[in-house]
Amino acid sequence: MPSTGEYFSTHSGPLIGIMTSTIATRLRASAELIRLDLALGAGFFFVAGEILAYGGLPPVHLVVPGFLALFFISGSANISNDYFDREVDRINLPSRPLPSGRISVAGLWVLFSLFTAAGMICAALLGPLVLALVILFWCIALAYNITLKDAGFTGNLIVAGCIGMTIILGGITVGRLNGVVLTFAALAFFFDLGVEIAADTMDAEGDRQRSGRSLAQTRGRAHALRISGIWLAVFFLLTPLPFLMGWLGHDYLILVAVLDLWMIHCSMRLMRSRTIAEGRTQIRRLYLSWGLFVIVFTLTRLL
């Protein structure tokens, strides 16, 4: 009969391997659930608003809680979105954590509660006005996930408005709003509005399950993509404004010219996309390009 030491030596290896694999699977599912890239982007857009308003790096006690507040609140919104989208995701995105069974409904709500609490605590460190605005954004995001998502273009406007206000909130936190902050907020708004409409066309099949009223549902895919293209065109036309107004210099103009050329290329391919996979690829490229531009340009303000 094997000793206790021999037994655990023989059996603990596979057991530890299974536990490690399970933990890693849950961590990956949680990262997908909070949409880690979007949550990090929300936090950085807030900090970008602070930097563009302040004209440099603001005090650390404003930067760190601000980044974390928007990271956790955005993550909280994304988590609840997966719950209310669970039936649609079974059709559109069956590999998502909830429909694939990699995370349970109970686990989802635990994570949602933790992220919400962490976001509110961080926002409270920035003062009552910021906390009140963060609570308002959280309520709007929850209302959108529960019912306003089915409001079609109105829902697109709500999401785009929240994205634009993220940058403005950063400016409010440092006590300054200027033309650069307001322009970047407008750019974020028009960009997200165009891409949100395009994204709806990729989810049209699943949206039929909940009687959604997206432009793709009510007017057809081609019409929705045309409207998406119009808002993206407004975004491109607005990009030179900070240079033309004398707020930013030639470094901005060069960076934004490169951005525009690449994003116009992606937008044209999106407008002509024939498959859902192709359309989603171009949408992701647009998101990554715009986010990377904001990060790179904002960091140059610190040099």
Side-chain angles (χ1 to χ4, degrees):
M1 181 175 180
S3 65
T4 302
E6 291 172 333
Y7 179 85
F8 279 106
S9 176
T10 304
H11 294 84
S12 62
L15 179 61
I16 292 173
I18 292 171
M19 291 176 62
T20 302
S21 176
T22 301
I23 292 171
T25 298
R26 289 180 178 176
L27 287 175
R28 283 194 296 269
S30 297
E32 289 181 44
L33 199 62
I34 67 174
R35 290 174 169 85
L36 190 58
D37 55 341
L38 297 182
L40 289 171
F44 192 86
F45 267 48
F46 179 94
V47 175
E50 289 184 316
I51 293 172
L52 293 172
Y54 197 76
L57 185 65
V60 175
H61 71 273
L62 297 179
V63 173
V64 175
F67 175 87
L68 291 176
L70 268 293
F71 171 81
F72 285 120
I73 290 300
S74 174
S76 167
N78 293 334
I79 292 166
S80 65
N81 178 74
D82 263 45
Y83 174 77
F84 294 107
D85 265 6
R86 63 193 185 282
E87 298 301 329
V88 173
D89 283 346
R90 286 194 177 97
I91 299 172
N92 289 333
L93 298 166
S95 62
R96 291 292 299 167
L98 204 55
S100 68
R102 287 180 293 133
I103 200 163
S104 66
V105 172
L108 179 147
W109 286 118
V110 168
L111 197 61
F112 169 80
S113 300
L114 290 174
F115 267 66
T116 299
M120 295 303 178
I121 290 170
C122 291
L125 297 176
L126 298 172
L129 176 58
V130 174
L131 175 61
L133 290 173
V134 167
I135 291 174
L136 176 61
F137 292 160
W138 181 84
C139 291
I140 292 173
L142 192 59
Y144 172 81
N145 289 336
I146 294 172
T147 185
L148 295 178
K149 181 176 291 188
D150 296 331
F153 184 64
T154 301
N156 299 141
L157 286 171
I158 291 170
V159 173
C162 287
I163 298 298
M165 281 301 297
T166 300
I167 296 176
I168 291 177
L169 186 58
I172 291 173
T173 301
V174 299
R176 303 176 188 174
L177 287 177
N178 55 33
V180 176
V181 172
L182 295 176
T183 301
F184 268 73
L187 286 171
F189 171 82
F190 288 119
F191 170 80
D192 199 75
L193 183 58
V195 175
E196 280 286 321
I197 294 171
D200 281 347
T201 69
M202 308 304 150
D203 296 335
E205 182 179 350
D207 287 345
R208 295 190 187 99
Q209 297 296 113
R210 63 182 181 201
S211 302
R213 297 193 301 276
S214 68
L215 287 175
Q217 287 287 95
T218 59
R219 302 292 298 274
R221 172 189 170 92
H223 176 82
L225 287 176
R226 282 196 296 270
I227 299 299
S228 168
I230 290 172
W231 292 117
L232 287 172
V234 173
F235 165 83
F236 293 127
L237 291 172
L238 193 59
T239 54
L241 182 63
F243 175 78
L244 296 175
M245 295 297 294
W247 300 329
L248 296 174
H250 287 87
D251 58 334
Y252 169 80
L253 184 63
I254 293 170
L255 280 173
V256 85
V258 172
L259 172 79
D260 283 351
L261 289 173
W262 168 246
M263 290 181 63
I264 289 172
H265 168 73
C266 294
S267 299
M268 295 300 293
R269 292 192 63 180
L270 173 61
M271 298 304 113
R272 294 195 295 263
S273 63
R274 297 185 178 276
T275 66
I276 291 175
E278 183 184 357
R280 284 179 176 157
T281 296
Q282 299 309 320
I283 288 172
R284 183 160 184 80
R285 286 176 178 174
L286 286 168
Y287 269 124
L288 290 174
S289 301
W290 167 236
L292 183 62
F293 168 77
V294 174
I295 291 172
V296 170
F297 178 73
T298 303
L299 291 177
T300 65
R301 301 299 91 191
L302 304 180
L303 301 178

